[in-house]
Amino acid sequence: MDIELRALSLKDGEVVFNMLKEMPAVSNGFYNTGYEISREEFSSYLMENYNCSKGIDIKKGYVPQTMYWLYVDGKIVGIGKLRHYLNDNLRKEGGHIGYGLLPKEIGKGYGSILLRELLKEAKKIGVKEALLTCNTDNIPSKKVIERNGGKLQDIFEDKYRYWIEL
Ligand SMILES: CC(C)(COP(=O)(O)OP(=O)(O)OC[C@H]1O[C@@H](n2cnc3c(N)ncnc32)[C@H](O)[C@@H]1OP(=O)(O)O)[C@@H](O)C(=O)NCCC(=O)NCCS
């Protein structure tokens, strides 16, 4: 299996745009902000997210975040988000990392691969311990976190909070 995690690029095109349209706007607490955008808005969507990864024009209450696309055997299957550090909101909900797969790619084990690859990126930017949160009824995500070494801290407002040492 050929696995590639590619950071969002200003050169991204149709493949990424179509995936954003296929992925639900929200699923189990994972937000796809690309769901609503039109083809005309796609380049500004890329620019905003690219800038956010560089710490430019960050919205109040947000932190720098890099977005990634997971490719398996050359096919795009999901989205990953890496927050560069935590703030009070992310400590309660969201943590360092978010991930979601295209509905047709769920249930094939790609979730664990996606998180594994995102954790490598987190380590590269100096995160020592990654916080992961997931809804208590999201069994697949809970398992994906535990498979990647998650140690449960607690349950806060119906969400598990896990730490993964890097
Ligand atoms: C969460 C998500 C990334 C998981 O990825 P996935 O590749 O579909 O996960 P898998 O199919 O490999 O399932 C992971 C584990 O959960 C188990 N599982 C799946 N559905 C289950 C269910 N209803 N009950 C019990 N176990 C279940 C699988 O058997 C697997 O167990 P294993 O690791 O012991 O084999 C994916 O489901 C997804 O994108 N969901 C929507 C967005 C989302 O929830 N994001 C996370 C927000 S925290």
Side-chain angles (χ1 to χ4, degrees):
M1 206 191 296
D2 179 43
I3 305 295
E4 205 189 336
L5 190 70
R6 291 189 205 158
L8 173 146
S9 152
L10 297 176
K11 292 190 187 135
D12 284 330
E14 251 20 71
V15 168
V16 169
F17 179 74
N18 292 338
M19 184 209 33
L20 294 170
K21 300 281 114 183
E22 245 185 87
M23 181 91 96
V26 193
S27 63
N28 281 323
F30 180 78
Y31 288 83
N32 166 24
T33 53
Y35 182 75
E36 304 281 344
I37 58 162
S38 65
R39 189 65 186 82
E40 292 68 43
E41 291 163 329
F42 183 49
S43 49
S44 48
Y45 167 87
L46 292 175
M47 182 58 86
E48 267 174 40
N49 283 291
Y50 180 80
N51 281 344
C52 183
S53 74
K54 304 288 172 209
I56 300 166
D57 291 338
I58 310 269
K59 287 188 219 151
K60 197 167 179 284
Y62 285 69
V63 304
Q65 168 183 276
T66 308
M67 289 188 69
Y68 294 91
W69 322 124
L70 180 70
Y71 289 79
V72 176
D73 293 331
K75 200 168 58 149
I76 196 160
V77 302
I79 303 178
K81 297 177 186 174
L82 171 61
R83 266 77 71 164
H84 299 193
Y85 52 86
L86 299 174
N87 61 16
D88 287 347
N89 286 339
L90 292 168
R91 276 179 204 283
K92 289 182 205 149
E93 180 181 351
H96 283 97
I97 289 174
Y99 44 82
L101 297 171
L102 279 171
K104 66 183 180 202
E105 305 296 350
I106 283 177
K108 301 180 185 175
Y110 297 157
S112 296
I113 294 172
L114 179 50
L115 178 55
R116 183 191 73 201
E117 296 302 311
L118 289 162
L119 289 168
K120 285 185 198 164
E121 296 302 318
K123 190 171 179 176
K124 280 187 208 162
I125 62 164
V127 176
K128 301 268 183 283
E129 253 193 323
L131 179 67
L132 275 291
T133 73
C134 88
N135 293 345
T136 49
D137 59 2
N138 193 347
I139 307 297
S141 188
K142 176 186 195 300
K143 290 204 172 179
V144 159
I145 295 169
E146 288 175 353
R147 277 198 155 208
N148 276 283
K151 301 271 178 293
L152 185 64
Q153 173 184 292
D154 58 9
I155 296 175
F156 179 74
E157 293 179 354
D158 292 330
K159 285 186 177 57
Y160 291 117
R161 291 196 289 195
Y162 281 95
W163 289 97
I164 300 180
E165 216 173 294
L166 301 177

